[in-house]
Amino acid sequence: MGSINTGPQSDSGFAGLKTNAKRLNDSLQYSCQWGATNDGGMHRLACDDQDRLVREWFIAETTKCGCSHKIDAMGNIFAIRPGENNNIPPIGLGSHLDTQPTGGRYDGILGVLCAMEVLRVIHEANVTTYAPIAVVNWTNEEGAIFPPAMLGSGVWAGQFTLEHGHSRKSIEGKTMAKELERIGYLGSTPCSSQENPLSAHFEVHIEQGTILDRAEKAVGIVTGAQTVRWFRLTLTGRAEHTGGTPMDNRSDALLAAAKVIVEVNKTAIEHGARATVSTAKSSPQSMNTIAGTVELSLDLRAPTDQEMDELEQSLKHAFDAINAEHGTSLAMDVVWDSKATHFDSEMVECVRQSAKEIGCSHEMTSFIGHDSVYTSKVVPTAMIFARCKDGISHNPAEYTRPEEYAQNLARS
Amino acid sequence: MGSINTGPQSDSGFAGLKTNAKRLNDSLQYSCQWGATNDGGMHRLACDDQDRLVREWFIAETTKCGCSHKIDAMGNIFAIRPGENNNIPPIGLGSHLDTQPTGGRYDGILGVLCAMEVLRVIHEANVTTYAPIAVVNWTNEEGAIFPPAMLGSGVWAGQFTLEHGHSRKSIEGKTMAKELERIGYLGSTPCSSQENPLSAHFEVHIEQGTILDRAEKAVGIVTGAQTVRWFRLTLTGRAEHTGGTPMDNRSDALLAAAKVIVEVNKTAIEHGARATVSTAKSSPQSMNTIAGTVELSLDLRAPTDQEMDELEQSLKHAFDAINAEHGTSLAMDVVWDSKATHFDSEMVECVRQSAKEIGCSHEMTSFIGHDSVYTSKVVPTAMIFARCKDGISHNPAEYTRPEEYAQNLARS
C-alpha cells in the first residue's frame, strides 16, 4: 500500500465548487426506476436486466462528463475523466449499483450517485484535475444471488481469483461469468489492481447503523472496518421422548443452544463487541421428541483482531461450561474470517478536515464489509458514512436525507 | 364409567397358572419379523403391508386359543374368547402392533403379546372365565403417518368421530379409510364403545422413562396419565443488519426465544412438571440479519389439570418479562390440550396387589398418551408399566428384559 499522490494541486483550486443537492437526489431517484418495487424499495440483483439498464444509463451519464470507460472481466465499470497527468492511475470514487432482493435506495447507490455528482460539478466548472478521476461501479457488492459479497472489488484487489469470481453460481445454477456475458458486461480489461490500477479509493456509503442518526449528524469519518468472524455451530445431545424423559436426565440440544445464544449476547456486551446468533434449526422437528441436534449461525464483530480473539476465547469457555452442564457436544466451524481493516491515515485526515467544516467529527469503524474494505488492501482508501434514518438498512424503509447527503460531497 | 364387574370367580381359581417367559419372548420376536429393520428396531406403520401381515398372524394365533374376531370400522381387532357369561361385555387386554418409523420392539407390541400370553395360559389350562376375554389390537396408536396418535381407541371411545378417523391423511394424501380398505381391515363392527363394549381395559406398556430402570424394578403401577398441553409460540422482533445494529438497540426474536427456552426449563423444574421446547425455526434464515420471527413448539406435562394451569400462568408471566426486555411480542396458540386421566381405583388396586407379590410398589402417572387414556373415558381401565432399559424409547435401542416382562403377567 503506497501513500496517496495528491499532486501539487492545492485545495484552494476547488474552493468555489458546490454540489447540487437537488440534482443529486433527482438523479438517484431517476436511477431507481430500474429495479423499483411497489413498497418504495429496490430489487436490482447483480447481472439481472435491471442491473444491465442502470449500467447503460451510468455509462451514458458519465460520458456526458467527458468520461471514457473500461469494463473489466468482472463487469466492474471504470468511468474515467482524464486529468493533467494521465500516466498517474485515476483517483477512484466508487460503490455499487446492485441491491439486496428487498433492499433500499441508498445502500451502494448513494455512493455511485455522489461520485457522479462530484464528476458533474468538476466537469461543469471545466476543472482539469491533477490525476484522472474514475467513478467506479463495482459488480455484485451484495452477493445476493452470487455469494460472497464484495465479489467484483474482491477479485480486483486480488482477494479472490478471477476463476473463483467467474464460477460463482446462483441457486438456479447460473454462473457469474455467463450472466455477465448475457448482459454484455464481461469486459476485456483485466480485473486486477495491478493491471488496471487506481491511485486511491473514496466511498460514500449509508451508515446502516444508528450512530449518526442518534447524534443527528450528517456524516461520519470511517477509520476502518471491524474484524468479522462467522461460525457454524452444531450442538449434539440426545433425542428422547419429551413425556418420558425426566427433567434431570436429559441432554437437550435446544436447551443448550438457547444458553449459547444468551451467552453470546451477554459476552458481546461485556467485550464491547457485536455478536449475533441469527439462525437456528433443530432436529428432529417433532413436537414430542427432545432436539438431538441444533445448528446455529454465529456472527462476531470486534474493533480489532486481538479483541476478536479475546471474544472468541471467552465464548469458548462459556460454551464448554454449557456442554458440561447438559452433556452436549459442540462443533464450531469457521465460515468466514475477515481481519480488521485500517484505512489510510492521510486519506482519513482529508475526510476528517472536510467533515469538520460542516460540524461533523464522529469517527467510527464499519461493522459491515464494503468494497472499500477490499480496495484498502491495495490502494489508499477512505470512507464517508451518511446518516441512516433509524439505522434501518437492507430494507425498503432505508432512507438518508437529500439535504444531508449532499453535504457528504461539499468538500469531496 | 361404571365399576368393573369382576364377577363371582375368586382369585384362587387362577392361582396355579403361570406365564411362560420364553414363549412370550419367542412369540414377540417372531412377530417382529414383519417390519424388522437392520438395526434391530421396527418400522411397521399403521395400515402398511407389514401391519397387514402381523394382523393376519395375530388372528391366526388367537384363533388357536378359541377366539372369534370382530374387526371394527377403524380396523381395531377384538379377539374374543368366550366365558361363562357371554352377555357380559369382554374384559379387554389391549395395546397396539403399529410402531414409530424408527421404533423399537416393545412399545405397544409388548402389551399385545403379553395379552396373547395370558390368553394362551388360560386356554392351555382349559379355564372358562366368568366373562369373555378380548385381546385388542388398537389401530394407529402411534399416529406416525395418520396423526393424531391413539386414533383407533379414540374413535372407539367417542373422542373422535368415525368420519374424523376415516378422513385422516398421510403426507402422500392417502386416507385412513382407503388404506384400511386396501389391507382388508375396514371392518363391519361399529367402532363404538357403546355398540361394541368392553367391561374393562388392562394394558401392559413399556415405561418409556427411567423410573423403573433406576429403581431396578420390573413393573410399575400406573394410576393415571398426566395432563398434556401443546402450544405453538411465535416470537416477533425486528429483522436488522447484525453488523449495523448496536447491541442496545435490537429487538432480537431469537435471543428472546432463547430466554423463553431457558425459562421453560427452569419453571418446569420449579413446578415438578415436564416442559420442553423441541423445535425452533428462525426467519429470515440469513447469517447477517437478526431474526425477525421465531417459531417454537412448547410441550407441557403436569400431574393434574390445576398444576398445568399454574405452570402455564408462571410461564406467561416469565414470557411477559422477556417481551418487555426485548421489545418482542409473543403469540401463544394451543395445539392440543389433554386433561389428566385417573384410572379406575378398583382396577388400580388389582394391579397394586399383584405388583406387591413380586416386590414392586412404584406408583406412577404416565407422562405419555396411551390407548388406555382413551379407554379410561368409557370403561374401567388400568395400566402396568414394564421396565425400559435406560429409558430409551421411540428408538431401535428400546429394550425390556424378557425375564422381567413375563412378571407383568404372573398375576394378570
Side-chain angles (χ1 to χ4, degrees):
Chain A
M1 235 186 295
S3 72
I4 178 172
N5 183 349
T6 49
Q9 175 84 48
S10 88
D11 202 41
S12 58
F14 304 114
L17 303 184
K18 276 223 150 57
T19 52
N20 181 335
K22 185 176 182 312
R23 176 171 63 188
L24 168 53
N25 187 45
D26 288 350
S27 196
L28 184 145
Q29 302 304 336
Y30 184 87
S31 77
C32 287
Q33 70 185 275
W34 298 290
T37 53
N38 290 336
D39 54 9
M42 289 295 289
H43 176 94
R44 189 163 67 199
L45 306 181
C47 301
D48 73 4
D49 288 335
Q50 302 304 312
D51 188 29
R52 177 175 59 80
L53 292 168
V54 78
R55 283 163 175 262
E56 285 170 16
W57 171 82
F58 171 78
I59 289 174
E61 289 298 306
T62 49
T63 301
K64 290 179 194 164
C65 296
C67 291
S68 61
H69 295 84
K70 286 184 181 172
I71 296 165
D72 76 15
M74 280 299 291
N76 299 315
I77 310 176
F78 297 74
I80 301 167
R81 184 172 183 274
E84 278 174 37
N85 301 282
N86 292 308
N87 56 333
I88 299 173
I91 308 286
L93 309 172
S95 198
H96 59 97
L97 291 170
D98 70 318
T99 76
Q100 284 280 319
T102 55
R105 295 182 162 224
Y106 301 91
D107 176 357
I109 303 171
L110 181 64
V112 176
L113 272 287
C114 280
M116 288 171 72
E117 177 58 25
V118 168
L119 190 71
R120 283 168 177 154
V121 170
I122 290 172
H123 193 66
E124 271 181 348
N126 272 318
V127 171
T128 303
T129 52
Y130 178 77
I133 287 180
V135 177
V136 188
N137 172 41
W138 299 107
T139 296
N140 193 45
E141 195 273 347
E142 295 292 356
I145 56 164
F146 297 107
M150 298 134 55
L151 192 64
S153 53
V155 173
W156 181 81
Q159 303 297 302
F160 307 116
T161 63
L162 178 62
E163 191 195 350
H164 182 82
H166 277 178
S167 59
R168 292 310 86 205
K169 265 189 189 159
S170 69
I171 289 170
E172 295 91 29
K174 295 174 185 170
T175 64
M176 185 93 226
K178 273 279 180 209
E179 287 302 285
L180 278 170
E181 193 176 19
R182 188 186 69 80
I183 64 165
Y185 282 88
L186 184 64
S188 55
T189 299
C191 183
S192 158
S193 64
Q194 290 173 321
E195 296 180 68
N196 179 35
L198 295 173
S199 289
H201 187 259
F202 282 101
E203 183 173 11
V204 172
H205 204 283
I206 187 165
E207 182 198 340
Q208 305 181 281
T210 54
I211 295 171
L212 295 173
D213 200 40
R214 285 184 183 185
E216 300 188 358
K217 291 294 178 186
V219 304
I221 303 137
V222 189
T223 57
Q226 303 218 348
T227 176
V228 183
R229 209 169 282 174
W230 283 3
F231 298 88
R232 175 75 45 200
L233 310 184
T234 308
L235 281 135
T236 307
R238 259 194 336 269
E240 292 172 296
H241 203 296
T242 56
T245 316
M247 299 304 286
D248 64 351
N249 192 37
R250 297 176 166 209
S251 179
D252 182 336
L254 188 53
L255 178 59
K259 292 191 177 175
V260 162
I261 295 168
V262 172
E263 200 58 47
V264 162
N265 184 262
K266 184 170 149 277
T267 307
I269 292 168
E270 285 167 4
H271 281 250
R274 290 186 187 166
T276 316
V277 177
S278 57
T279 76
K281 203 180 134 201
S282 61
S283 169
Q285 284 279 316
S286 168
M287 211 146 170
N288 58 356
T289 303
I290 295 166
T293 59
V294 176
E295 284 188 16
L296 303 176
S297 65
L298 175 61
D299 172 316
L300 304 182
R301 294 167 196 249
T304 65
D305 296 338
Q306 194 193 325
E307 286 167 281
M308 173 61 83
D309 290 340
E310 288 166 5
L311 173 63
E312 186 181 329
Q313 277 314 309
S314 291
L315 286 174
K316 280 182 170 166
H317 285 140
F319 296 168
D320 286 346
I322 292 168
N323 282 325
E325 186 187 349
H326 292 281
T328 45
S329 64
L330 172 62
M332 201 167 163
D333 301 310
V334 177
V335 176
W336 186 40
D337 190 4
S338 172
K339 300 294 178 201
T341 300
H342 304 282
F343 290 147
D344 181 81
S345 56
E346 203 176 332
M347 302 249 316
V348 171
E349 183 58 26
C350 290
V351 174
R352 188 179 287 121
Q353 289 307 321
S354 295
K356 205 171 167 183
E357 293 179 27
I358 55 165
C360 292
S361 59
H362 274 77
E363 307 221 348
M364 51 222 293
T365 48
S366 174
F367 283 91
I368 301 176
H370 294 292
D371 290 315
S372 286
V373 170
Y374 284 148
T375 66
S376 74
K377 309 286 183 195
V378 288
V379 294
T381 292
M383 285 188 81
I384 302 161
F385 269 172
R387 182 174 173 182
C388 178
K389 187 171 182 296
D390 300 327
I392 294 170
S393 183
H394 282 195
N395 190 299
E398 182 181 271
Y399 185 69
T400 193
R401 293 162 185 78
E403 67 278 15
E404 289 184 342
Y405 62 67
Q407 294 189 357
N408 303 327
L409 312 174
R411 305 276 316 155
S412 291
Chain B
M1 233 184 299
S3 72
I4 177 172
N5 183 349
T6 48
Q9 175 84 49
S10 88
D11 203 42
S12 59
F14 305 113
L17 303 184
K18 276 224 149 58
T19 53
N20 181 334
K22 184 176 182 312
R23 175 171 64 187
L24 168 54
N25 187 44
D26 289 350
S27 194
L28 184 144
Q29 301 304 336
Y30 185 88
S31 76
C32 286
Q33 70 184 276
W34 298 291
T37 54
N38 290 334
D39 54 9
M42 290 294 291
H43 176 94
R44 189 163 68 201
L45 306 180
C47 302
D48 72 4
D49 289 333
Q50 303 303 312
D51 187 29
R52 178 176 58 79
L53 291 168
V54 78
R55 284 164 176 261
E56 284 171 16
W57 171 82
F58 171 76
I59 289 174
E61 289 298 304
T62 49
T63 301
K64 291 178 195 165
C65 296
C67 291
S68 62
H69 296 83
K70 285 185 183 171
I71 297 163
D72 75 15
M74 281 298 292
N76 300 315
I77 310 175
F78 296 75
I80 301 167
R81 183 171 184 275
E84 277 174 37
N85 301 283
N86 293 309
N87 56 332
I88 300 173
I91 308 286
L93 309 172
S95 198
H96 59 96
L97 290 170
D98 70 318
T99 76
Q100 283 280 319
T102 56
R105 295 181 162 227
Y106 301 91
D107 176 357
I109 303 171
L110 181 64
V112 176
L113 271 288
C114 281
M116 288 170 72
E117 177 58 24
V118 168
L119 190 71
R120 283 169 177 153
V121 170
I122 289 172
H123 193 66
E124 273 179 348
N126 272 319
V127 171
T128 303
T129 52
Y130 178 77
I133 286 180
V135 177
V136 188
N137 172 41
W138 298 106
T139 297
N140 193 46
E141 195 274 347
E142 296 291 355
I145 55 164
F146 296 107
M150 297 134 57
L151 192 64
S153 53
V155 173
W156 180 82
Q159 303 297 303
F160 306 116
T161 63
L162 179 62
E163 192 195 347
H164 182 82
H166 276 178
S167 59
R168 293 311 86 205
K169 265 189 189 160
S170 69
I171 288 170
E172 295 90 29
K174 295 172 185 170
T175 64
M176 185 93 228
K178 273 278 181 210
E179 287 302 285
L180 279 171
E181 194 177 16
R182 188 187 69 80
I183 65 165
Y185 283 87
L186 185 65
S188 56
T189 298
C191 183
S192 158
S193 63
Q194 289 172 322
E195 297 181 66
N196 179 35
L198 295 173
S199 289
H201 187 259
F202 281 102
E203 183 174 10
V204 172
H205 204 284
I206 188 165
E207 182 198 339
Q208 305 181 281
T210 54
I211 295 171
L212 294 173
D213 200 40
R214 285 184 183 186
E216 301 189 357
K217 291 293 179 187
V219 304
I221 303 136
V222 189
T223 58
Q226 303 219 346
T227 175
V228 183
R229 208 168 282 174
W230 283 4
F231 298 88
R232 176 75 45 199
L233 309 184
T234 308
L235 279 134
T236 307
R238 260 195 332 272
E240 291 173 296
H241 202 296
T242 54
T245 316
M247 298 304 286
D248 64 350
N249 193 36
R250 297 176 167 210
S251 179
D252 182 336
L254 188 53
L255 177 60
K259 292 190 179 176
V260 162
I261 294 168
V262 172
E263 200 59 45
V264 162
N265 184 262
K266 184 170 149 276
T267 308
I269 292 169
E270 286 166 3
H271 281 250
R274 290 185 187 166
T276 315
V277 177
S278 57
T279 78
K281 203 180 132 201
S282 61
S283 169
Q285 283 278 317
S286 169
M287 211 147 170
N288 58 357
T289 303
I290 295 165
T293 58
V294 176
E295 283 189 16
L296 302 176
S297 65
L298 175 61
D299 172 315
L300 305 182
R301 294 166 196 250
T304 65
D305 296 338
Q306 193 194 326
E307 285 167 281
M308 173 63 82
D309 290 340
E310 288 165 4
L311 173 63
E312 185 181 331
Q313 276 314 309
S314 291
L315 287 173
K316 280 182 169 165
H317 285 140
F319 297 166
D320 285 347
I322 293 168
N323 282 325
E325 185 187 350
H326 291 281
T328 45
S329 64
L330 172 62
M332 202 166 163
D333 300 310
V334 177
V335 176
W336 186 40
D337 189 6
S338 171
K339 301 293 179 201
T341 300
H342 305 282
F343 290 148
D344 182 81
S345 56
E346 202 177 333
M347 301 252 312
V348 171
E349 183 58 25
C350 290
V351 174
R352 189 179 287 121
Q353 290 306 322
S354 295
K356 206 172 167 182
E357 293 180 27
I358 55 166
C360 293
S361 59
H362 274 74
E363 307 221 348
M364 51 223 292
T365 49
S366 174
F367 283 90
I368 301 176
H370 295 291
D371 290 314
S372 286
V373 169
Y374 283 148
T375 66
S376 75
K377 309 286 183 197
V378 287
V379 294
T381 292
M383 286 188 81
I384 302 161
F385 269 171
R387 181 173 173 182
C388 177
K389 186 169 182 296
D390 300 327
I392 295 170
S393 182
H394 281 196
N395 190 299
E398 181 181 272
Y399 185 67
T400 193
R401 293 160 185 78
E403 67 278 15
E404 289 184 344
Y405 62 66
Q407 294 190 354
N408 302 326
L409 312 174
R411 304 277 314 152
S412 292

